[in-house]
C-alpha cells in the first residue's frame, strides 16, 4: 500500500488563535488532482479576515489561496500537466465545462463557488483531524494538493516570488482595469485603496493610457508608492472628491476601481465617478457586510456598477500576457514585495498584514 508523503503546513485550528506549523499527512491523490511542491505564496490580507472568522472558513484549514510551485505528481486522469513543470495555482479554478466557464466567466467557476465554502480535505493531522485547503489551494504549506483545473503551467525565468503574485494580486488588479473597467486612452481613472491590488490597478491604468490616475488612500507611505508606480495624484479619502473633480472639469472619474474592502470605500467609489461612468468593486472585508448607495446616482445617472473576482481573468489567455508585461518591465513588482518569510513566520506575516505594514509579504519555500 502506497504511503502518502508528509509535509509541514500552517494550520488555522481556531479563529483568532495563532496559526500552528505542524507536520500533516497528505491524503491519497485523486485521479484528477495534482501535487505541487510550493515555492512561493503571497500572504493576502483576505486571510486576516479569515483568521477572524469573517469569511466562513471551517478549521482546521490551510489558508493561502494563491501560490506557485513545481509539479511533483499527477493523478492518472490528468493531461497537459507534467512532473517538473512550474505552475501558477490561482485563487480560482477553470474547469471549462460548467455553466459559468461556458458563459465566459471562469472567474465564477462552479468547481469553487458551488462548494458553498466547503473546501476539499487534503491532509490529516497527527491527532486524526481532516484538514481542508482554503480556496481549494492551501498555499501556506510545503505541498499543495489541487485540482488539475487549478494548476496552470508557465514558461518564464521570473523569480518564484514574482510569479506567485500572478495568482491573486496581479490578476485582480490588472484584470479589474483591463477586463472589467476597460480603461482606455485619455480616461480619467480613480483607484480607491493602494494595497497590493490597488497598486497593480494603478500600473494597469497607466499601461492602458489613462491621462489621470487619482489614488485614494489614507496611509501616506502607500500614497508615495502609488506615485512611484504611476499615479498622477494621490490623496487621503477626505480630499478625494475635490482631487477628482479638479482633474475632470468637475465631472468625476470616467472609471473607478475600488480595491479597499470597507463599505465606506465602495460608497466613495460611486461618488467619485461621473454620470455614465464605470465603477468596479473588488474589495471584501466581511462575508456579512452590506453596502448602501444613494439611489439617484445609482439608478438615474446611467453608471455601470460592476463587480470582479480575480479580475475576471481567463488564466490561459491572460497569464501569458501578464508574464510578458513583467518580463519586459512594463509591470514592476519591486515596490510591492515588501517582505519575504519562511513558513515558521506565519504569525508575523499575519500581524504585519493586519497592521498594514506589508504590501505583499511573500513566503519562500
Amino acid at each position: 500500500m502506497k504511503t502518502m508523503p508528509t509535509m509541514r503546513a500552517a494550520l488555522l485550528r481556531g479563529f483568532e488563535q495563532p496559526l500552528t506549523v505542524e507536520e500533516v499527512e497528505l491524503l491519497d491523490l485523486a485521479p484528477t488532482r495534482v501535487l505541487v511542491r510550493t515555492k512561493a505564496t503571497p500572504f493576502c490580507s483576505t486571510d486576516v479576515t479569515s483568521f477572524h472568522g469573517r469569511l466562513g472558513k471551517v478549521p482546521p484549514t490551510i489558508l493561502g489561496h494563491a501560490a506557485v510551485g513545481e509539479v511533483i505528481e499527477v493523478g492518472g486522469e490528468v493531461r497537459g500537466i507534467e512532473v517538473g513543470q512550474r505552475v501558477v495555482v490561482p485563487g480560482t479554478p477553470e474547469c471549462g465545462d460548467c455553466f459559468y466557464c461556458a458563459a465566459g466567466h471562469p472567474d465564477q467557476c462552479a468547481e469553487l463557488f458551488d462548494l458553498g465554502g466547503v473546501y476539499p480535505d487534503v491532509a490529516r493531522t497527527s491527532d486524526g483531524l481532516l484538514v481542508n485547503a482554503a480556496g481549494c489551494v492551501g498555499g501556506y504549506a510545503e505541498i499543495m494538493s489541487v485540482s488539475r483545473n487549478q494548476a496552470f503551467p508557465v514558461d518564464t525565468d521570473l523569480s518564484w516570488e514574482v510569479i506567485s503574485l500572478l495568482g491573486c494580486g496581479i490578476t485582480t488588479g490588472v484584470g479589474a482595469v483591463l477586463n472589467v473597467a476597460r480603461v482606455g486612452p485619455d480616461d480619467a481613472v480613480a483607484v480607491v485603496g493602494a494595497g497590493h491590488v490597488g497598486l497593480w490597478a494603478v500600473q494597469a491604468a497607466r499601461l492602458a493610457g489613462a491621462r489621470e490616475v487619482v489614488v485614494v488612500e489614507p496611509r501616506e507611505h502607500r500614497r508615495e508608492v502609488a506615485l512611484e508606480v504611476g499615479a498622477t495624484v494621490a490623496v487621503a479619502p477626505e480630499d478625494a472628491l475635490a482631487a477628482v473633480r479638479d482633474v475632470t472639469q468637475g465631472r468625476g472619474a470616467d472609471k473607478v476601481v475600488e480595491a479597499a474592502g470597507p463599505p465606506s470605500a465602495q460608497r466613495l467609489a460611486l461618488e467619485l465617478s461621473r454620470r455614465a461612468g464605470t465603477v468596479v468593486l473588488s474589495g471584501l472585508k466581511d462575508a456579512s457586510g452590506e453596502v448602501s448607495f444613494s439611489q439617484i446616482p445609482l439608478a438615474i445617472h446611467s453608471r455601470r456598477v460592476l463587480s470582479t473576482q480575480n479580475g475576471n481573468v481567463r488564466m490561459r489567455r491572460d497569464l501569458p500576457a501578464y508574464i510578458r508585461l513583467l518580463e519586459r518591465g512594463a509591470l514592476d513588482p519591486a515596490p510591492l514585495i515588501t517582505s519575504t518569510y519562511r513558513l515558521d513566520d506565519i504569525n508575523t506575516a499575519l500581524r504585519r498584514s493586519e497592521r498594514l505594514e506589508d504590501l505583499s509579504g511573500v513566503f519562500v519555500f
Side-chain angles (χ1 to χ4, degrees):
M1 181 177 176
K2 180 180 177 181
T3 301
M4 289 301 292
T6 60
M7 65 168 181
R8 297 174 75 236
L11 303 187
L12 178 68
R13 281 185 173 257
F15 300 127
E16 300 187 329
Q17 299 176 13
L19 279 70
T20 56
V21 178
E22 307 176 26
E23 188 167 284
V24 298
E25 182 181 4
L26 285 160
L27 303 182
D28 291 343
L29 187 66
T32 59
R33 295 182 71 80
V34 178
L35 283 188
V36 179
R37 188 174 303 282
T38 312
K39 293 295 185 177
T41 304
F43 189 94
C44 183
S45 57
T46 301
D47 285 329
V48 174
T49 308
S50 295
F51 169 78
H52 290 292
R54 296 174 188 149
L55 286 182
K57 301 297 187 288
V58 180
T61 187
I62 306 171
L63 300 176
H65 56 263
V68 65
E70 182 178 306
V71 177
I72 57 175
E73 187 175 347
V74 298
E77 298 178 13
V78 174
R79 302 291 182 268
I81 300 173
E82 300 177 358
V83 171
Q85 281 185 313
R86 281 182 158 197
V87 290
V88 171
V89 183
T92 311
E94 293 183 17
C95 75
D97 296 321
C98 71
F99 171 87
Y100 295 97
C101 285
H105 270 282
D107 55 286
Q108 297 296 317
C109 180
E111 192 169 298
L112 174 66
F113 285 99
D114 283 6
L115 295 177
V118 182
Y119 301 118
D121 294 322
V122 296
R124 191 183 304 273
T125 66
S126 60
D127 54 349
L129 297 178
L130 288 171
V131 180
N132 64 79
C136 299
V137 176
Y140 303 151
E142 293 175 331
I143 296 174
M144 295 174 284
S145 173
V146 299
S147 163
R148 62 185 173 186
N149 298 320
Q150 207 160 349
F152 297 86
V154 293
D155 182 13
T156 178
D157 292 328
L158 291 169
S159 71
W160 292 113
E161 294 95 321
V162 171
I163 303 171
S164 74
L165 303 179
L166 286 160
C168 176
I170 294 176
T171 46
T172 303
V174 176
V177 168
L178 301 183
N179 295 342
V180 188
R182 298 179 183 265
V183 170
D186 207 39
D187 276 343
V189 177
V191 177
V192 181
H196 73 122
V197 171
L199 291 169
W200 288 115
V202 170
Q203 296 194 51
R206 181 200 66 209
L207 285 176
R211 65 177 173 83
E212 298 285 350
V213 183
V214 180
V215 168
V216 182
E217 166 59 51
R219 292 155 199 86
E220 183 178 2
H221 70 282
R222 293 191 171 196
R223 295 199 295 269
E224 293 171 354
V225 178
L227 292 169
E228 180 182 346
V229 300
T232 54
V233 181
V235 296
E238 58 269 25
D239 300 319
L241 281 171
V244 169
R245 288 171 179 165
D246 184 57
V247 299
T248 60
Q249 293 74 52
R251 289 188 302 273
D254 303 301
K255 310 288 173 61
V256 183
V257 175
E258 177 274 323
S264 59
Q266 296 178 333
R267 287 193 296 270
L268 177 60
L270 185 76
E271 294 168 4
L272 295 177
S273 64
R274 63 165 170 80
R275 297 194 307 276
T278 298
V279 180
V280 178
L281 307 178
S282 72
L284 175 65
K285 285 296 183 184
D286 191 322
S288 62
E290 296 183 356
V291 186
S292 60
F293 294 109
S294 298
Q295 196 166 23
I296 288 179
L298 186 65
I300 304 300
H301 288 168
S302 298
R303 284 172 174 84
R304 298 173 68 242
V305 181
L306 308 170
S307 70
T308 180
Q309 197 284 127
N310 202 31
N312 289 21
V313 301
R314 302 185 189 190
M315 292 298 289
R316 293 176 181 85
R317 177 197 66 189
D318 294 333
L319 190 56
Y322 296 170
I323 287 174
R324 289 193 296 271
L325 291 172
L326 288 163
E327 287 175 333
R328 73 171 200 248
L331 291 174
D332 184 6
L336 278 78
I337 299 177
T338 47
S339 300
T340 56
Y341 299 106
R342 297 297 180 184
L343 188 59
D344 289 320
D345 301 323
I346 183 69
N347 290 298
T348 299
L350 188 148
R351 288 192 298 271
R352 285 180 58 83
S353 180
E354 183 158 36
R355 294 196 296 253
L356 302 176
E357 295 171 1
D358 271 334
L359 290 169
S360 291
V362 180
F363 289 94
V364 179
F365 292 81

